[in-house]
Amino acid sequence: MSGGQDAPFGARLRQLRETAGLTQEDLAARSGLSAKGISDLERGARRRPHPHTVRSLADALEISEDERASLLAAVPKRSEPGGDIPTARLVPPLPMPTTPLVGRERNLEEVTDFLRRREVRLLTLTGMGGVGKTRLALEAARDAGKAFTDGVAFIGLAPLNNAEFVVPSIVRTFGLRETAGQSPREALRAYLRAKRLLLALDNFEHLLEAAPEVSWLIETCPNLTVLVTSRAPLRVGGEQEYPVPPLELPISTRDPRVEEVLGSPSGKLFVERARAASPGFSLTRQNAAAVASICWRLGGLPLALELAAARVRFLSPSSLLARLDRALSTGWARDVPERQRTMRATLDWSHDLLSEPEKALFRRLSVFAGGFTLEAVEAAGAADELGAEDVLDLLGELVEQSLVQADTDAPGGEVRYSMLEPVRQYAHEKLEESGEARTVGRSHATFFLVLAEHAYHELIGARQVEWLDRLDRENGNLGATMSWALDAGAVEIGARLGWALWLFWMIRGYQHEGRRWMEAVLERRDLSPALRAKALVAAASLAYGYGDYEWCERYSEESLDLSRRVGDKLAMAWAHFGLGVVAMSRTDHEAATPHLEESLRSFREINEDSGVARATTCLGMVELMRGDVSRATETFEEGLAVARRTGDRSAVCITLYNLAQVALCGGDHDHAAALFEEGMTLSERMGDRANVAYCLEGLATVAGTRGQVERSARLLGAAERLLQDVGVPVYTYYKPDPSLYERTIANTRLRLGTARFERVRTEGRAMTFEQAVEYALEDDEVSSE
């Protein structure tokens, strides 16, 4: 065998490589060495490789222990011929990832920029397990490598179980030898002191006691830069922390377009990994919503997305969505560390690093859904043994360990905390195992019931928008409260919550969820008559918003009977109102009038001005049915004045819409447009997508009557998309000329031609909520097109 006697290690290596059927390039890629380095070893140009190089080669060749020992024995000793040829110490090579980095372009640019700055000596990438710190660090180290004349060294610390082993491990990786009277620390300093080198230390979170050693290194080696990945920062002088966020999510899970899902980093990663697992997989209009929902459920966490995507080999996205928990708990790729083969293993690793008080708070935070404030944690997340004064410190530790995320720029001006959904589910399992779930759940439910009942009064006043936004931020927690109440048999909490939230559900487009909750509450027969009367009002309102007049009528009739018996004038007024609007929606003004008049009388007696405004406006709609436009307009103006006085923007918008319809049918297009625009602006501030859509329809009709047919078609498309997103009718307005809208569509289609009409309408459907509002408020085109 050529070269076998002159270079026994090289000959042995070549024999093992050829037996394995590998080229030098193949072995280089597997071992993390260069093809030239393999060639040098086989030719004998390098006769005595370092032990870590031999280990890398043996691992890449997948040889037996006997063959491994034989290969190591073939390395010449210092006393053997050729053993004393000096060789330069090699910087350990960067591992070669097997998949491309996806969705991290901006993060990669920022991290690489930090590494190239001479003033940044210690850069720590922080984030929870599975967020992609290691992968980002590898790519950034590779990109920044040219700035370091002595190269880049990447050292994995996960196998170490003691902080004292960090420095010796680095020493061994560089192939350094200790000399008499020289410690590993001194040997490392002597080697690195004059080098312009990037040292990457991966998985530092369980070795934080060794942080002073890193600080000492950058102080004594002036040209050294250290890149660390850790679930928590090192907290030493000179550290620049870079939190690695989850991947950005698709814009929406409601009927998203394929390009919207692929345009998001999380969607792109899922699709690429799914195609790797199943080459026939493709993202389609039919499965785009399921893929977007998977991304949202997994919080954009790369490891979770990759684990889930591997399952498309035998599961469709919709089936996978229903089985996500199982998909994340089973094993996956064999070429990743055991602690990353399942989300559970990754989270076990993080959980084991926590102190007992930190573990206690961690599991109790799992009762929160969709985020939480410090106030909520102190009231609902801490049990007796965790004092409120300790909660902030413990919460801070969980944020440092990347198990909890802190958003300092959250709407509302207060810091908002959250847990990624896979983390929350894991923590909830721990809560169930602890036996504390019922106690913590009740504390959580009590806190959010108090919040909702306070919001009830704010939702019909001047702070309406502020409280709609606050309830929207807490919608996940409100749903969790309702779920807990039903599961725990605390049905009275569910009834009180529904009564407090029904207007919020209506305005913000949660009719489907709200109705489902209230129907579940009403199925329980242990409610008091007083609470049942209120729950029936909530159910009736949501049924009406759903366009289900039959059930609205049934609920309202039962509520009227119960509220009379218990003497609840407010519930009685709303029950009459429900019966009145059902009759009005059936264009039965004779039946509608007495109920609405009785409702108005009751609202006035108890000084419920929001009800007064709504009942007055509905009576104006009845006048329109009778054909008395003058009286209807007068009544609308009266209702508008009450709504404006109380600050109830929702009631204002409903009245403005009706006044706009009257102006439109009367041919006063300018006044109609002004009223539609004002109503849309207010509705946009409230997040009332349904009312924005109806105002868009009104503006489309105005544009059509003015001959602005492209604008009309585009606004029609935007309105259709918004109503589709809401998913339910929500409001039913009486229109003096119901055919005007249909005539506008027909005329616009005729003027543009079917193909052009559909193209322009599709452009409108593609608009986001914000784009639709901005377009509608632009100056109207003057030309008649």
Side-chain angles (χ1 to χ4, degrees):
M1 187 174 294
S2 176
Q5 292 180 351
D6 293 338
F9 177 85
R12 183 72 181 130
L13 174 62
R14 180 178 178 183
Q15 180 187 46
L16 290 169
R17 175 178 61 77
E18 291 177 342
T19 300
L22 302 174
T23 65
Q24 289 181 345
E25 288 76 11
D26 292 337
L27 181 56
R30 286 191 177 194
S31 63
L33 303 175
S34 67
K36 182 179 183 303
I38 302 293
S39 176
D40 288 347
L41 289 170
E42 291 188 355
R43 290 185 297 104
R46 282 190 59 212
R47 296 173 180 269
R48 198 169 61 82
H50 295 296
H52 72 270
T53 301
V54 179
R55 287 195 297 272
S56 296
L57 290 167
D59 291 342
L61 290 164
E62 298 180 348
I63 56 180
S64 67
E65 289 300 321
D66 289 343
E67 290 173 320
R68 185 183 293 260
S70 174
L71 183 64
L72 189 60
V75 179
K77 306 295 187 291
R78 285 186 179 274
S79 58
E80 295 179 8
D84 57 353
I85 297 176
T87 58
R89 291 189 178 91
L90 298 178
V91 173
L94 283 172
M96 293 293 294
T98 58
T99 56
L101 185 65
V102 176
R104 292 293 191 192
E105 292 79 11
R106 182 175 60 82
N107 303 122
L108 179 59
E109 182 180 346
E110 291 173 348
V111 172
T112 303
D113 180 61
F114 274 127
L115 293 176
R116 288 173 177 157
R117 296 184 196 174
R118 293 300 293 259
E119 69 272 17
V120 177
R121 304 288 312 288
L122 171 60
L123 177 63
T124 304
L125 308 188
T126 59
M128 71 160 292
V131 80
K133 301 182 297 295
T134 298
R135 187 67 184 81
L136 178 60
L138 273 171
E139 204 71 24
R142 198 178 312 282
D143 283 4
K146 293 180 181 178
F148 298 90
T149 54
D150 292 297
V152 180
F154 198 93
I155 303 172
L157 302 178
L160 304 186
N161 58 12
N162 191 314
E164 294 179 1
F165 298 158
V166 171
V167 170
S169 178
I170 299 172
V171 167
R172 286 195 303 273
T173 301
F174 281 115
L176 303 176
R177 292 184 179 275
E178 300 173 40
T179 60
Q182 187 182 47
S183 68
R185 198 175 193 238
E186 292 165 338
L188 185 60
R189 181 184 62 175
Y191 178 66
L192 295 178
R193 184 168 47 200
K195 285 185 166 49
R196 174 69 177 138
L197 182 134
L198 174 61
L199 175 62
L201 303 175
D202 189 36
N203 292 118
F204 208 97
E205 59 270 354
H206 60 304
L207 304 166
L208 291 174
E209 294 86 352
E213 298 288 0
V214 176
S215 180
W216 173 80
L217 265 179
I218 61 174
E219 288 173 4
T220 57
C221 303
N223 295 313
L224 178 70
T225 296
V226 180
L227 172 64
V228 173
T229 72
S230 175
R231 302 184 189 188
L234 274 59
R235 291 289 180 249
V236 296
E239 180 181 36
Q240 170 68 56
E241 183 181 356
Y242 185 91
V244 179
L247 295 174
E248 292 181 15
L249 300 168
I251 295 173
S252 172
T253 60
R254 290 184 175 183
D255 192 30
R257 300 194 306 274
V258 169
E259 54 270 27
E260 289 176 344
V261 178
L262 281 177
S264 69
S266 58
K268 183 178 180 182
L269 177 65
F270 180 90
V271 171
E272 288 199 6
R273 298 299 187 261
R275 285 174 179 162
S278 177
F281 175 81
S282 63
L283 187 69
T284 66
R285 186 178 64 81
Q286 288 73 26
N287 64 24
V291 171
S293 295
I294 289 170
C295 295
W296 274 84
R297 277 278 305 277
L298 300 181
L301 195 63
L303 176 61
L305 289 166
E306 295 195 4
L307 290 169
R311 304 299 168 190
V312 301
R313 287 174 297 176
F314 49 84
L315 287 173
S316 68
S318 57
S319 297
L320 175 60
L321 179 61
R323 297 168 176 82
L324 266 186
D325 294 347
R326 176 65 179 162
L328 298 181
S329 64
T330 53
W332 183 53
R334 297 182 180 89
D335 62 346
V336 296
E338 182 66 33
R339 61 190 169 80
Q340 290 184 350
R341 291 187 186 176
T342 68
M343 276 303 300
R344 172 168 290 281
T346 297
L347 292 169
D348 281 341
W349 172 273
S350 293
H351 186 260
D352 290 345
L353 298 176
L354 301 178
S355 67
E356 288 306 316
E358 289 165 356
K359 287 178 180 178
L361 183 59
F362 173 67
R363 62 178 177 261
R364 292 166 192 169
L365 293 180
S366 69
V367 297
F368 295 103
F372 47 89
T373 61
L374 178 60
E375 176 192 10
V377 175
E378 291 171 338
D384 294 339
E385 66 271 22
L386 293 179
E389 66 278 5
D390 299 323
V391 168
L392 180 58
D393 291 338
L394 294 173
L395 184 58
E397 290 298 323
L398 293 177
V399 171
E400 285 227 332
Q401 292 293 331
S402 303
L403 289 168
V404 172
Q405 298 173 304
D407 183 1
T408 56
D409 297 320
E414 59 184 341
V415 178
R416 190 164 182 84
Y417 302 89
S418 62
M419 302 170 87
L420 294 176
E421 188 58 23
V423 180
R424 193 184 76 84
Q425 291 175 8
Y426 175 89
H428 195 68
E429 289 183 22
K430 296 295 182 184
L431 182 65
E432 293 287 348
E433 292 169 4
S434 73
E436 302 170 343
R438 186 175 180 87
T439 301
V440 177
R442 179 170 287 279
S443 297
H444 174 273
T446 300
F447 177 84
F448 284 102
L449 176 62
V450 170
L451 177 73
E453 291 187 327
H454 178 78
Y456 174 85
H457 301 285
E458 302 286 358
L459 289 178
I460 53 177
R463 300 174 67 193
Q464 185 179 58
V465 173
E466 175 188 338
W467 276 87
L468 284 169
D469 289 343
R470 182 168 183 180
L471 291 177
D472 227 340
R473 290 194 295 272
E474 300 296 357
N475 191 48
N477 286 308
L478 296 168
T481 297
M482 185 69 83
S483 183
W484 179 89
L486 293 171
D487 291 344
V491 67
E492 70 285 352
I493 290 179
R496 290 167 61 187
L497 198 63
W499 170 254
L501 294 176
W502 68 265
L503 185 58
F504 161 68
W505 286 333
M506 286 280 289
I507 293 174
R508 286 294 167 97
Y510 296 116
Q511 291 86 354
H512 180 74
E513 297 94 322
R515 186 179 184 186
R516 179 167 53 86
W517 289 128
M518 297 319 297
E519 287 175 347
V521 167
L522 292 172
E523 285 176 1
R524 308 296 177 90
R525 293 298 171 185
D526 49 347
L527 265 179
S528 68
L531 278 178
R532 185 171 180 82
K534 284 182 164 60
L536 285 162
V537 167
S541 301
L542 296 163
Y544 178 80
Y546 223 84
D548 191 341
Y549 305 138
E550 180 182 351
W551 276 101
C552 177
E553 188 173 40
R554 290 188 189 182
Y555 291 140
S556 297
E557 286 175 345
E558 185 181 352
S559 178
L560 183 59
D561 178 59
L562 287 175
S563 57
R564 277 173 174 163
R565 280 198 277 156
V566 299
D568 186 338
K569 287 190 176 182
L570 181 57
M572 194 186 314
W574 281 116
H576 273 299
F577 183 82
L579 291 170
V581 294
V582 165
M584 185 183 68
S585 298
R586 293 170 176 163
T587 64
D588 185 352
H589 58 82
E590 295 300 332
T593 300
H595 284 298
L596 290 173
E597 288 178 342
E598 183 60 36
S599 171
L600 179 59
R601 185 163 39 251
S602 296
F603 281 133
R604 282 173 171 162
E605 284 181 5
I606 57 178
N607 296 316
E608 184 77 1
D609 284 342
S610 176
V612 169
R614 283 170 167 77
T616 301
T617 296
C618 286
L619 283 168
M621 294 166 72
V622 170
E623 296 297 339
L624 272 183
M625 292 179 189
R626 292 192 173 110
D628 191 341
V629 176
S630 175
R631 176 60 184 155
T633 303
E634 183 182 330
T635 307
F636 288 146
E637 295 287 358
E638 181 184 342
L640 182 61
V642 176
R644 288 194 191 279
R645 187 180 71 246
T646 61
D648 185 347
R649 291 176 176 83
S650 177
V652 169
C653 291
I654 293 171
T655 312
L656 286 172
Y657 179 88
N658 282 282
L659 284 168
Q661 285 290 343
V662 171
L664 186 62
C665 292
D668 190 348
H669 300 147
D670 290 344
H671 187 45
L675 292 168
F676 281 132
E677 288 174 359
E678 183 183 356
M680 185 176 60
T681 301
L682 288 174
S683 298
E684 187 267 338
R685 290 176 189 165
M686 291 190 299
D688 188 340
R689 290 172 178 257
N691 218 53
V692 167
Y694 294 133
C695 290
L696 286 173
E697 284 184 351
L699 289 170
T701 305
V702 171
T705 58
R706 288 172 169 172
Q708 300 164 346
V709 288
E710 278 209 4
R711 178 177 175 82
S712 179
R714 200 167 282 115
L715 289 170
L716 288 171
E720 288 169 1
R721 175 62 188 268
L722 283 182
L723 287 173
Q724 181 181 354
D725 286 348
V726 173
V728 291
V730 187
Y731 307 121
T732 301
Y733 294 119
Y734 175 76
K735 298 177 182 178
D737 185 357
S739 65
L740 183 57
Y741 177 69
E742 285 73 18
R743 292 201 306 272
T744 297
I745 296 177
N747 183 59
T748 301
R749 185 189 298 273
L750 181 65
R751 291 276 303 276
L752 289 174
T754 299
R756 188 178 170 199
F757 172 79
E758 292 298 339
R759 177 180 60 79
V760 176
R761 185 166 70 168
T762 299
E763 291 174 2
R765 288 180 60 84
M767 289 180 177
T768 65
F769 177 66
E770 293 77 14
Q771 288 170 339
V773 172
E774 182 180 0
Y775 177 74
L777 294 177
E778 290 176 356
D779 290 338
D780 296 348
E781 295 96 333
V782 176
S783 69
S784 62
E785 302 179 19

